[in-house]
Structure formats: structure tokens, C-alpha cells
């Protein structure tokens, strides 16, 4: 079986992902490792359950569409705030937007064909769909005060990075399960 370099951050980079959250500084240091691990495990467990429900299917176009989501492929590159976006899940509209030019660039950078890149990206977005429909928002599993002045704390906000960590875990775990299944069917070792 050909070596596959997975293009999403693995567990080893999940702690770093948390540092990108705008509210990172409000998370007590002693809580950081535990909340990252909890988000990673949530995504990983969801992947195992979906893999079981889908009988090991790896076709996320079909999985997404069979879940009632509309796929919109836009022939554009979406860059906002210096960040390139490949896709987004719009929960109120029950759709996933795919940005073709951005995906093509990402696929090329990661030595993937376009359809493989789309499949990986859709698995990531599918986790966000599951958060809204089944799992609860991973970003709300841990909250920090919106404003803190001395001992006074006002409001609460979640950590968006936790949802991204969960989505990375989902995609990584799901595709690891697919590779294991393929290796078993081929009679090869990973």
C-alpha cells in the first residue's frame, strides 16, 4: 500500500491549534491539555460511530448528500483575513460550500488529486454538521468569561479551536479506519 501523508493536523499538533484561539489566554494552563484531549476524543469517537453506521464507506460526497446537506461547488478561492478557506458548513442553510480554486491549490500542495482533497475536506465539514445535529458544539464544551475585570466575570464564550480539533480528529480517525479496512481487504500491513 502506498504511503499516505495525511494533510490535516494530527493529535501531536492539536495543542498548538488551541493556541490559535482568540480566547486562549483566558484558559487556565492546567486545563489546556485536558480540553484538547477531550475535543480530540470526541471527534475520534464520532468517526468510529459514523464509520460503523456507513458500513465503512469512504465516499463523503454521498455521506454528506445522504444526510440531507446540499453541496455547492464554487469556482473561487476564498481568502479572508489572510486565511484561505476551502469550505464551510452553513448550518442554517443545511449546505456545505466548496471553494474549488482553494481546494485545487491545497490538493496540489499536498500531492492529492482534486476528488481525494474534496473527500478529506468533506469529512472535516461533516463533523461540524454532526456537532449541530447530534453531538453538541465542541466549541461550547469548555467556556471562558467574555470579560474579566479582577474577580468579576461577565458572560461566557466557547473556544472555536476545540471544534477544529474535533473535526481534525474526526477526519484523521475516519481515514485511518478506511486505510485499515483497505489493508485488510488487500491482505497488506499498514
Amino acid at each position: 500500500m502506498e504511503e499516505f501523508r495525511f494533510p490535516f493536523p494530527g493529535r501531536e499538533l492539536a495543542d498548538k491549534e488551541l493556541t490559535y484561539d482568540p480566547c486562549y489566554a483566558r484558559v487556565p494552563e492546567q486545563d489546556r491539555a485536558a480540553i484538547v484531549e477531550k475535543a480530540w476524543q470526541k471527534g475520534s469517537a464520532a468517526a468510529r460511530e459514523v464509520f460503523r453506521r456507513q458500513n465503512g464507506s469512504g465516499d463523503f460526497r454521498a455521506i454528506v448528500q445522504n444526510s440531507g446537506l446540499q453541496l455547492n461547488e464554487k469556482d473561487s478561492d476564498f481568502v479572508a483575513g489572510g486565511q484561505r478557506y476551502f469550505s464551510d458548513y452553513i448550518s442554517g442553510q443545511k449546505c456545505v460550500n466548496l471553494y474549488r480554486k482553494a481546494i485545487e491549490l491545497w490538493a496540489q500542495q499536498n500531492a492529492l488529486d482534486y476528488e481525494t482533497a474534496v473527500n478529506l475536506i468533506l469529512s472535516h465539514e461533516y463533523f461540524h454538521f454532526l456537532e449541530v445535529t447530534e453531538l453538541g458544539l465542541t466549541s461550547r464544551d469548555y467556556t471562558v468569561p467574555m470579560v474579566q475585570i479582577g474577580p468579576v466575570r461577565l458572560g461566557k464564550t466557547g473556544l472555536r479551536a476545540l471544534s477544529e480539533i474535533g473535526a481534525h480528529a474526526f477526519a484523521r480517525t475516519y481515514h485511518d479506519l478506511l486505510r485499515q479496512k483497505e489493508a485488510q481487504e488487500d491482505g497488506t500491513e499498514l
Side-chain angles (χ1 to χ4, degrees), residues 13-37:
L13 295 177
D15 295 304
K16 186 163 183 66
E17 180 88 26
L18 182 63
T19 69
Y20 302 145
D21 195 286
C23 297
Y24 174 74
R26 295 186 220 153
V27 178
E29 189 173 341
Q30 69 269 17
D31 292 354
R32 293 172 182 166
I35 64 173
V36 167
E37 184 61 25

Side-chain angles (χ1 to χ4, degrees), residues 17-105:
E17 180 88 26
L18 182 63
T19 69
Y20 302 145
D21 195 286
C23 297
Y24 174 74
R26 295 186 220 153
V27 178
E29 189 173 341
Q30 69 269 17
D31 292 354
R32 293 172 182 166
I35 64 173
V36 167
E37 184 61 25
K38 183 177 177 187
W40 187 267
Q41 290 305 319
K42 184 176 186 177
S44 186
R48 288 189 296 275
E49 174 58 22
V50 171
F51 189 82
R52 184 193 64 74
R53 281 192 286 198
Q54 296 296 328
N55 296 311
S57 170
D59 182 357
F60 270 91
R61 276 189 187 272
I63 291 169
V64 164
Q65 290 172 325
N66 290 339
S67 295
L69 291 169
Q70 179 180 333
L71 278 177
N72 300 318
E73 288 193 65
K74 300 179 179 216
D75 193 28
S76 61
D77 185 10
F78 181 31
V79 178
Q83 170 93 24
R84 174 167 278 120
Y85 294 89
F86 311 108
S87 60
D88 49 21
Y89 164 61
I90 314 295
S91 63
Q93 298 174 20
K94 293 188 76 181
C95 72
V96 175
N97 295 319
L98 297 170
Y99 301 102
R100 177 177 279 283
K101 288 186 183 345
I103 294 169
E104 287 172 347
L105 288 170

Side-chain angles (χ1 to χ4, degrees), residues 113-126:
D113 63 80
Y114 179 77
E115 285 305 319
T116 299
V118 165
N119 202 52
L120 289 168
I121 288 166
L122 285 175
S123 68
H124 178 100
E125 295 301 339
Y126 193 71

